[in-house]
Amino acid sequence: LLATSGLELTAFRTALATAFQQWRDVADITFVEAAVGQPAEIVIGEQTDPTGFAFTNLELGERANGRVRPIIGASICLNPEKAWKIGYDGNLEVYDLVHTLVHEIGHV
């Protein structure tokens, strides 16, 4: 994904941090980055069978109180065949990573 779009890993990580910060600011949610090699509740990566631009899969636990199934894991999948950018440049054909990640984190 990064190579296709000509983006550096540090720029992607900054976009991701910005997206999580936006959710922290409006929803009073705390996110903690998992250490390398440790399990994570939200995993972000590339789609293996690219379709669309992005989607989120949720892993649900057992129903609590007979009504709600808790989210126990999530995968945010970005299409590596699409061009991505960071910031708005007027080109509506290329999606902005920050806005896309904020949207997908919202599904989680």
Side-chain angles (χ1 to χ4, degrees), residues 1-9 12 46 80-84 97:
L1 182 143
L2 298 177
T4 299
S5 297
L7 297 172
E8 297 291 328
L9 179 59
F12 178 83
E46 297 179 349
E81 295 178 353
K82 300 288 187 183
W84 295 90
L97 275 171

Side-chain angles (χ1 to χ4, degrees), residues 41-65:
E41 294 173 340
I42 302 173
V43 177
I44 298 153
E46 297 179 349
Q47 299 174 8
T48 56
D49 187 16
T51 181
F53 277 85
F55 64 85
T56 298
N57 283 330
L58 299 177
E59 181 181 352
L60 302 176
E62 296 299 317
R63 291 190 187 279
N65 302 324

Side-chain angles (χ1 to χ4, degrees), residues 14 23 61 71:
T14 298
W23 275 104
I71 298 169

